[in-house]
């Protein structure tokens, strides 16, 4: 394989909503360049990109797939990404390492839901962007409407570079405003014929060309002076201005395509070659501690691992970008996170499931290697002279949860290993082994994301599993003070057991005044592992309980706090004051006072108006203006408290506090209400009191469960 220098390597990511034609365009780009001799199709399940079994089964992309093409002495690395936000992790990591985003719009539908959601990440990373209006050969294609929607959503940086002459079923002509030429394609597509712009299109072409020139000139002082001096810019000057504008995120050139008919892809690749930036043109990467790492061909070797893929019969594949220097087969690099040395025994350029072995990769290039033992996604591999880890990709919080159990109990240990492997491959899947709830809980980006994980468990790992509803991690506390005492006395021949404890319990809150009723000899504040606090006061005077038994009383209280009386949930935010008691010179011991403390606490808790608390989340729901009413109604039906509203360019942002118990199926319902156009962020906020009626219901259910267990 030909070796390309850093200036001739371009990295692009294809993004867009489902069915916008990303996979088909990638296939066409490879075919146009001669990398494949026959174009596959999604329908025939033989594309380079969508090669996984689940992608064939579903008929759309699930994984981000790396491939490359070579066009006019340039190497273009292409990453084809999924169009559904359930698989957003695949998209974010691809956007992060590519240097140009190609946003595909379906000419029939314009800016669709997936595009709106993905734009946030393109904008966050300030990636130079090309907008490709695809499927102009469709019956309902509407180029002007697609461009107007793009301007509304992406801003005035949207700049027409090309427009179609005859969109629709007979589409075969594009007018290019950079070269001021009309490209006419045969019915087979491919290389077009270059023709003069027809007279009937001349006025519009001249007007749009002038707009393009002005857009290119306004991004650079020198070009602006040339523009004022000459009244125009030549083609090379236009390219320079467009590149500067793209780098500043102030120009998003618009191209015309029919990926299916192979019309326009060659011109797009030519623009990527000549105008889109290479990695060495881009701003430096940053380390976790904020130091700059320039894309320096002469710098020390540094690789950033952005994706991990575990393939049956092959093992772990690590995909990386060369951030600095170059990397060679056999090189040993240090993993900054694990402080281990990894030897790169093989280097590959990936084209879907095919891997092309290479000896060396230069700065800016994207490649992969096999079987790195201690390296995962977001890790940095450094050569001699390089220090520090590249700032990691920040993946979104999970939105949905489900509990998973192995149907065969003998598979429990294997399930743990497999789930760890799945998380390694997909960091947006999180696994929680919740001892409190006695469940293994799977967290993901949506119901489809969870369904895919179940499919992988059953089809790839051959494990039969069941998904069941995840329990809610409730908490228990009290609403008023209460006093109690308990005497533990047991005699069974020989030494007996004796311990008596008097205690007061109160609801705890930050800044509460000190205890006044009893003198506090000693006070301990415990930050509980499950949240909240326990303040334990020793108020014993006169030696009625020996100081050595006080820790046993605390131990008994803590043990009871692991299992509250309402639902068996953890107890939090209580102040306990032990103020009196009795002991026996012979029969008193640690176990006696532990039991006495536990039972005194239990009795006091029952008398202190127990309160069940539930986890409540801050939910930020972004929806189109016209759907706000339906979404508000849905939120309020789920016991949500609306905390605020904002307007954001045609969208309403509804902020609410919603109980976790009410979020079950919320995201799939919301997707239906909004036709997939809503975006949701969730984050834990606090524990809040459960309504009395619900508390009564949950308490009764718990008592029935206990009765069954004890039967």
């Amino acid at each position: 394989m030909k070796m390309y220098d850093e200036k001739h390597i371009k990295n692009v990511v294809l993004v867009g909503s489902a069915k916008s034609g990303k996979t088909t365009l990638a296939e066409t780009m490879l075919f146009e360049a001669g990398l494949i001799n026959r174009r596959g199709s999604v329908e025939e399940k033989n594309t380079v990109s969508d090669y996984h079994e689940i992608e064939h089964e579903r008929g759309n992309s699930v994984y981000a797939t790396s491939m490359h093409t070579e066009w006019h002495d340039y190497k273009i690395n292409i990453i084809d990404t999924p169009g559904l936000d359930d698989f957003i992790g695949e998209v974010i990591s691809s956007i992060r390492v590519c240097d140009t985003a190609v946003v595909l719009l379906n000419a029939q539908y314009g800016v669709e839901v997936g595009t709106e959601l993905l734009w946030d990440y393109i904008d966050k990373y300030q990636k130079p962007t090309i907008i490709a209006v695809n499927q102009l050969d469709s019956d309902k294609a509407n180029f002007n409407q697609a461009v107007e929607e793009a301007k509304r959503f992406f801003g005035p940086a949207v700049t027409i570079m090309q427009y179609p002459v005859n969109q629709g079923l007979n589409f075969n002509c594009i007018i290019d405003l950079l070269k001021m030429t009309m490209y006419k394609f045969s019915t087979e597509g491919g290389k077009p014929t270059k023709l003069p712009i027809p007279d009937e299109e001349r006025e519009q072409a001249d007007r749009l060309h002038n707009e393009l020139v002005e857009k290119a000139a306004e991004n650079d002082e020198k070009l602006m002076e040339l523009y004022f001096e000459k009244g125009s810019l030549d083609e090379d000057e236009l390219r320079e201005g467009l590149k500067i504008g793209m780098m500043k995120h102030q120009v998003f050139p618009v191209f015309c395509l029919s990926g299916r008919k192979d019309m326009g892809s060659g011109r797009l690749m030519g623009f990527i070659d000549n105008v889109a930036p290479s990695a060495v043109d881009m701003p430096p990467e940053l380390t976790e501690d904020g130091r700059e790492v320039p894309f320096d061909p002469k710098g020390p070797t540094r690789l950033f691992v952005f994706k991990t893929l575990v393939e049956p019969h092959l093992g772990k594949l690590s995909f990386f970008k060369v951030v600095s220097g170059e990397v060679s087969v056999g090189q040993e690099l240090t993993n900054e996170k694990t402080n281990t040395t990894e030897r790169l025994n093989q280097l590959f350029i990936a084209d879907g499931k095919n891997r092309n072995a290479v000896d060396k990769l230069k700065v800016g290039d994207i490649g992969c290697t096999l079987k790195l033992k201690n390296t995962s996604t977001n890790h940095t591999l450094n050569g001699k002279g390089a220090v520090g880890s590249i700032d990691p990709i920040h993946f979104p919080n999970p939105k949905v949860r489900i509990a998973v159990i192995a149907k065969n109990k003998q598979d429990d240990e294997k399930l743990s290993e497999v789930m760890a492997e799945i998380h390694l491959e997909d960091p947006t899947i999180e696994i929680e082994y919740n001892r409190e709830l006695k469940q293994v809980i799977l967290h993901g980006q949506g119901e489809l994301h969870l369904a895919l994980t179940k499919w992988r468990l059953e089809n790839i790992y051959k494990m039969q599993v069941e998904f069941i509803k995840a329990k809610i991690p409730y908490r228990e506390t009290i609403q008023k003070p209460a006093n109690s005492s308990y005497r533990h006395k047991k005699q069974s021949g020989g030494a007996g057991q004796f311990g008596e404890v008097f205690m007061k319990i109160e609801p705890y809150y930050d800044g509460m005044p000190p205890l006044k009723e009893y003198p506090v000899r000693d006070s301990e504040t415990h930050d509980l592992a499950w949240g909240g606090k326990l303040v334990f006061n020793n108020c014993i005077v006169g030696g009625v309980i020996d100081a050595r038994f006080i820790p046993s009383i605390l131990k008994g209280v803590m043990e009871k706090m692991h299992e509250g009386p309402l639902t068996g949930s953890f107890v939090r935010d209580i102040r306990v004051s032990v103020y009196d008691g009795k002991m026996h010179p012979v029969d008193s011991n640690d176990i006696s006072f532990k039991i006495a403390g536990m039972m005194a606490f239990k009795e006091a808790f029952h008398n202190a108006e127990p309160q069940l608390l539930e986890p409540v989340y801050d939910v930020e729901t972004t929806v189109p203006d016209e759907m706000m009413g339906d979404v508000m109604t849905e939120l309020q039906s789920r016991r949500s408290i609306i905390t605020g509203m904002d307007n954001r360019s045609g969208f309403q942002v509804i902020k609410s506090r919603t109980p976790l118990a009410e979020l079950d199926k919320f995201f799939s319902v919301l997707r239906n209400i909004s036709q997939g156009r809503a975006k949701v962020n969730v984050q834990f906020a606090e524990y809040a009191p459960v309504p009395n009626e619900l508390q009564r219901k949950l308490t009764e259910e718990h008592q029935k469960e206990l009765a069954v267990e004890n039967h």
Side-chain angles (χ1 to χ4, degrees):
M1 182 176 289
K2 181 178 176 180
M3 181 65 65
Y4 291 86
D5 66 32
E6 62 278 0
K7 285 284 188 182
H8 289 78
I9 299 170
K10 303 297 177 81
N11 302 311
V12 300
V13 56
L14 305 182
V15 298
S17 61
K19 308 300 182 185
S20 59
K22 301 180 296 296
T23 299
T24 301
L25 174 61
E27 193 79 2
T28 298
M29 291 169 77
L30 268 60
F31 175 75
E32 268 291 293
L35 269 292
I36 55 175
N37 54 27
R38 180 180 180 275
R39 284 194 298 157
S41 72
V42 173
E43 293 74 23
E44 293 175 2
K45 304 176 182 179
N46 59 353
T47 58
V48 172
S49 178
D50 287 358
Y51 66 90
H52 294 89
E53 184 183 348
I54 184 63
E55 292 175 318
H56 291 166
E57 193 173 299
R58 287 191 48 80
N60 55 27
S61 300
V62 169
Y63 298 92
T65 303
S66 297
M67 61 205 98
H68 89 288
T69 187
E70 298 173 35
W71 189 251
H72 298 169
D73 294 324
Y74 281 84
K75 177 186 180 187
I76 305 174
N77 291 315
I78 303 165
I79 304 184
D80 176 26
T81 64
L84 297 170
D85 60 319
D86 286 70
F87 312 121
I88 191 67
E90 297 280 328
V91 186
I92 295 171
S93 56
S94 304
I95 291 171
R96 170 64 187 275
V97 297
C98 284
D99 306 311
T100 300
V102 178
V103 179
L104 269 73
L105 303 183
N106 186 323
Q108 301 172 92
Y109 309 119
V111 179
E112 296 178 84
V113 184
T115 315
E116 296 168 8
L117 301 178
L118 300 171
W119 180 253
D120 289 348
Y121 295 99
I122 296 171
D123 195 45
K124 173 185 174 182
Y125 291 123
Q126 289 288 290
K127 293 295 182 178
T129 302
I130 295 169
I131 295 172
V133 181
N134 191 26
Q135 301 178 30
L136 284 163
D137 56 318
S138 301
D139 182 32
K140 296 179 181 178
N142 191 328
F143 176 80
N144 290 336
Q145 183 176 306
V147 171
E148 285 308 307
E149 284 190 12
K151 287 180 177 179
R152 184 154 54 92
F153 285 107
F154 310 142
V158 174
T159 306
I160 296 175
M161 279 274 301
Q162 297 179 332
Y163 71 90
V165 174
N166 54 346
Q167 61 187 322
L169 296 176
N170 297 316
F171 169 70
N172 67 345
C173 290
I174 295 169
I175 289 180
D176 190 290
L177 302 168
L178 177 61
K179 293 183 172 290
M180 288 303 282
T181 298
M182 186 171 83
Y183 295 109
K184 185 171 183 178
F185 298 88
S186 69
T187 53
E188 289 80 30
K191 190 173 182 179
T193 302
K194 297 179 183 179
L195 299 171
I197 295 173
D199 291 341
E200 62 270 21
E201 296 293 335
R202 173 57 66 176
E203 183 180 343
Q204 182 177 354
D206 286 342
R207 176 176 57 80
L208 292 173
H209 175 77
N210 289 335
E211 289 178 9
L212 180 67
V213 172
E214 288 177 10
K215 200 72 177 174
E218 70 184 24
N219 293 292
D220 183 78
E221 252 182 62
K222 185 180 73 173
L223 290 173
M224 184 61 83
E225 288 174 8
L226 278 172
Y227 174 61
F228 284 139
E229 183 182 318
K230 301 192 303 182
S232 187
L233 297 175
D234 63 30
E235 195 175 315
D236 288 338
E237 291 162 347
L238 270 174
R239 285 199 188 97
E240 183 184 351
L242 291 171
K243 182 173 183 176
I244 293 169
M246 289 176 68
M247 294 284 291
K248 291 180 176 179
H249 225 228
Q250 292 174 358
V251 175
F252 308 145
V254 177
F255 280 78
C256 296
L257 290 171
S258 168
R260 185 172 64 90
K261 288 189 174 180
D262 188 11
M263 296 179 183
S265 57
R267 181 71 185 95
L268 174 63
M269 288 192 287
F271 186 82
I272 291 169
D273 286 351
N274 295 322
V275 180
S278 57
V280 292
D281 298 318
M282 296 292 285
E285 281 281 6
L286 294 176
T287 60
E288 287 182 303
D289 56 4
R291 288 181 292 111
E292 291 189 348
V293 180
F295 290 93
D296 183 0
K298 296 181 180 178
T301 301
R302 195 187 304 257
L303 313 182
F304 177 64
V305 178
F306 66 92
K307 178 180 170 69
T308 304
L309 186 62
V310 181
E311 292 202 351
H313 317 301
L314 186 64
K316 186 169 79 168
L317 272 169
S318 300
F319 291 81
F320 59 82
K321 183 176 184 178
V322 184
V323 176
S324 175
E326 61 183 35
V327 61
S328 305
V329 169
Q331 196 167 354
E332 291 189 346
L333 303 174
T334 301
N335 185 318
E336 289 286 322
K337 286 288 183 190
T338 59
N339 199 28
T340 55
T341 299
E342 298 276 22
R343 181 181 174 85
L344 306 185
N345 292 313
Q346 296 169 293
L347 292 176
F348 301 101
I349 297 295
D351 286 317
K353 65 182 177 182
N354 299 317
R355 280 160 290 280
N356 309 295
V358 293
D359 295 325
K360 184 184 293 186
L361 290 169
K362 291 182 175 289
V363 66
D365 215 341
I366 288 174
C368 63
T369 189
L370 274 169
K371 299 177 181 177
L372 298 182
K373 291 182 180 179
N374 301 296
T375 298
S376 303
T377 300
N378 270 335
H379 286 184
T380 300
L381 296 174
N382 286 335
K384 189 176 180 181
V387 292
S389 292
I390 298 297
D391 191 45
I393 302 161
H394 300 284
F395 294 102
N397 294 329
K399 300 180 181 69
V400 295
R401 59 200 287 273
I402 199 86
V404 56
I405 55 174
K407 289 184 179 179
N408 185 343
K409 292 298 177 187
Q410 294 178 340
D411 284 341
D412 282 349
E413 187 174 335
K414 182 184 176 184
L415 178 63
S416 299
E417 294 171 2
V418 167
M419 294 310 300
E421 194 169 285
I422 288 175
H423 172 70
L424 178 77
E425 190 171 334
D426 182 0
T428 62
I429 281 281
E430 294 183 7
I431 316 302
E432 176 191 358
Y433 300 94
N434 195 305
R435 293 186 178 182
E436 172 192 356
L437 304 177
K438 300 179 178 64
Q439 287 184 320
V440 177
I441 298 177
L442 186 63
H443 299 265
Q445 298 299 316
E447 274 77 14
L448 181 58
H449 196 203
L450 297 181
L452 171 69
T453 304
K454 188 171 190 284
W455 185 93
R456 291 173 67 187
L457 286 167
E458 294 178 343
N459 292 273
I460 305 298
Y461 294 99
K462 308 301 179 186
M463 290 190 65
Q464 291 303 305
V465 298
E466 185 179 354
F467 279 7
I468 61 174
K469 190 173 180 178
K471 297 176 184 176
I472 304 298
Y474 291 105
R475 297 288 180 264
E476 298 183 21
T477 191
I478 56 174
Q479 300 181 76
K480 72 175 188 179
N483 288 57
S484 68
S485 65
Y486 188 85
R487 174 181 289 187
H488 175 69
K489 186 176 182 181
K490 187 176 180 183
Q491 197 70 41
S492 56
Q497 294 180 359
F498 182 87
E500 187 171 10
V501 170
F502 290 73
M503 72 169 56
K504 176 181 181 178
I505 68 173
E506 306 163 88
Y508 171 80
Y509 56 91
D510 286 337
M512 71 184 297
L515 186 69
K516 293 182 179 178
E517 295 171 63
Y518 311 107
V520 179
R521 292 184 57 191
D522 186 38
S523 182
E524 302 175 22
T525 300
H526 296 268
D527 290 314
L528 302 170
W530 51 87
K533 286 182 167 54
L534 165 67
V535 175
F536 185 80
N537 292 331
N538 175 9
C539 306
I540 297 298
V541 293
V544 292
I545 299 177
D546 198 298
R548 64 194 170 98
F549 294 131
I550 299 300
S552 299
I553 298 171
L554 171 61
K555 192 173 182 181
V557 169
M558 287 289 282
E559 196 166 301
K560 199 60 194 169
M561 290 183 76
H562 278 79
E563 194 171 341
L566 296 177
T567 59
S569 305
F570 289 137
V571 175
R572 58 177 283 168
D573 296 328
I574 292 183
R575 183 163 74 180
V576 175
S577 301
V578 178
Y579 61 88
D580 201 358
K582 290 181 182 177
M583 62 180 181
H584 188 277
V586 176
D587 293 345
S588 288
N589 52 27
D590 286 329
I591 189 67
S592 302
F593 278 100
K594 176 187 170 185
I595 294 170
M598 180 190 301
M599 300 309 291
F601 179 79
K602 179 181 178 181
E603 182 182 327
F605 196 94
H606 275 294
N607 297 328
E609 288 189 15
Q611 173 68 62
L612 191 63
L613 305 173
E614 63 181 341
V616 176
Y617 281 69
D618 280 324
V619 180
E620 186 177 278
T621 310
T622 306
V623 295
D625 289 337
E626 64 272 18
M627 298 169 182
M628 183 185 70
D630 291 340
V631 174
M632 288 275 283
T633 301
E634 181 64 29
L635 282 166
Q636 288 165 345
S637 74
R638 293 173 178 270
R639 297 194 286 122
S640 299
I641 297 172
I642 307 301
T643 58
M645 293 181 63
D646 290 327
N647 188 285
R648 197 179 294 164
S649 59
F651 286 82
Q652 291 292 332
V653 181
I654 306 168
K655 298 176 182 178
S656 66
R657 285 267 170 107
T658 306
L660 176 61
E662 300 292 342
L663 289 176
D664 186 43
K665 303 297 181 187
F666 170 64
F667 303 99
S668 56
V669 171
L670 184 65
R671 182 171 285 171
N672 290 335
I673 291 173
S674 68
Q675 296 155 11
R677 300 186 67 192
K679 182 175 70 173
V680 182
N681 285 315
V682 296
Q683 191 159 357
F684 173 75
E686 62 176 352
Y687 270 89
V690 168
N692 290 335
E693 189 176 328
L694 181 56
Q695 176 169 318
R696 193 179 309 113
K697 178 187 172 187
L698 292 168
T699 302
E700 288 172 359
E701 288 175 357
H702 178 64
Q703 293 307 316
K704 288 177 184 176
E705 289 172 8
L706 289 178
V708 171
E709 288 176 12
N710 296 328
H711 183 63

